[in-house]
Amino acid sequence: MKIICIGRNYSEHAKELNNAVPTAPVVFMKPATALLKDDKPFFHPEFSKDIHYETEIVLKIGKNGKYIAPKFASGYISAVTVGLDFTARDLQQQQKEKGLPWEIAKAFDGSAVIGRFLPVEEVPNMTAIAFSMQKNKVQVQAGNTADVLFDFSSIISYVSQFFTLQQGDLIYTGTPVGVGKINIGDVLEGYIGEQHLFTCEIK
Ligand code: ZN
């Protein structure tokens, strides 16, 4: 199982980090050891003083495929949830300045939080999924997949040129504006619409 992530897929978020709005999807990956599920807590590592939450819609791939055409791509999604792409912003900034890869800032243990998956049949409109995240019961991020720069079909088609998609792979589809720092003691809760899909306590 692999975890593929799309960066800068909402233009307002790209701007808040002073990044250019991309013309092709920005792709990075996390290993399976990054996965944090079943509402397990996140233990804040010592290597970063500035870990950010990024709330994202996460797709689960339901069948294997390569060179998937956009018109067939939706058939490869079996389920959807909301998750967090934890990012060590201080390390990422250092890596970006040096032109180095992001893995130490993005792919660390527990950096890929996922909620309970909803089968696609239960999601009425995949092109307009409203999602949000509350930190300590206050909403800090809200997005809608209608606002993405690259829609799910474009993402699946693009990444499947490079990586064979396999059943069970996950794709994080990017965060809307409003990312921010986590602190020990915070409780983060993710929603699709009104449905509560994860709780993640920072320890
Ligand atoms: Zn992200």
Side-chain angles (χ1 to χ4, degrees), residues 4-11 13-15 17 19-30 54 56-57 85 87 89 92 96 102 106 148-150 155 158-159 171-176:
I4 296 168
C5 305
I6 305 301
R8 304 175 195 168
N9 199 22
Y10 292 80
S11 61
H13 167 64
K15 288 178 195 160
L17 295 180
N19 290 315
V21 173
T23 53
V26 174
V27 179
F28 57 95
M29 293 171 86
K30 300 186 188 229
E54 296 188 355
E56 312 197 1
I57 290 294
D85 164 21
T87 303
R89 199 69 75 200
Q92 187 192 31
K96 281 163 77 173
W102 293 358
K106 281 284 197 183
V148 292
L149 297 168
F150 302 100
I155 291 169
Y158 182 77
V159 299
I171 303 180
Y172 282 65
T173 58
T175 189

Side-chain angles (χ1 to χ4, degrees), residues 153-170:
S153 293
S154 306
I155 291 169
I156 287 171
S157 178
Y158 182 77
V159 299
S160 72
Q161 297 175 90
F162 305 99
F163 316 114
T164 298
L165 294 181
Q166 294 175 296
Q167 187 175 23
D169 287 350
L170 302 179

Side-chain angles (χ1 to χ4, degrees), residues 76-136:
Y76 287 78
I77 306 168
S78 63
V80 178
T81 191
V82 63
L84 298 170
D85 164 21
F86 280 142
T87 303
R89 199 69 75 200
D90 43 1
L91 297 183
Q92 187 192 31
Q93 192 57 37
Q94 292 169 22
Q95 298 299 96
K96 281 163 77 173
E97 283 166 10
K98 295 177 194 162
L100 294 173
W102 293 358
E103 276 82 355
I104 61 169
K106 281 284 197 183
F108 50 85
D109 289 358
S111 63
V113 175
I114 49 164
R116 178 169 57 84
F117 276 94
L118 305 175
V120 284
E121 302 78 46
E122 291 178 21
V123 181
N125 185 354
M126 292 283 285
T127 57
I129 301 173
F131 62 104
S132 63
M133 198 271 280
Q134 295 184 2
K135 185 176 91 167
N136 307 325

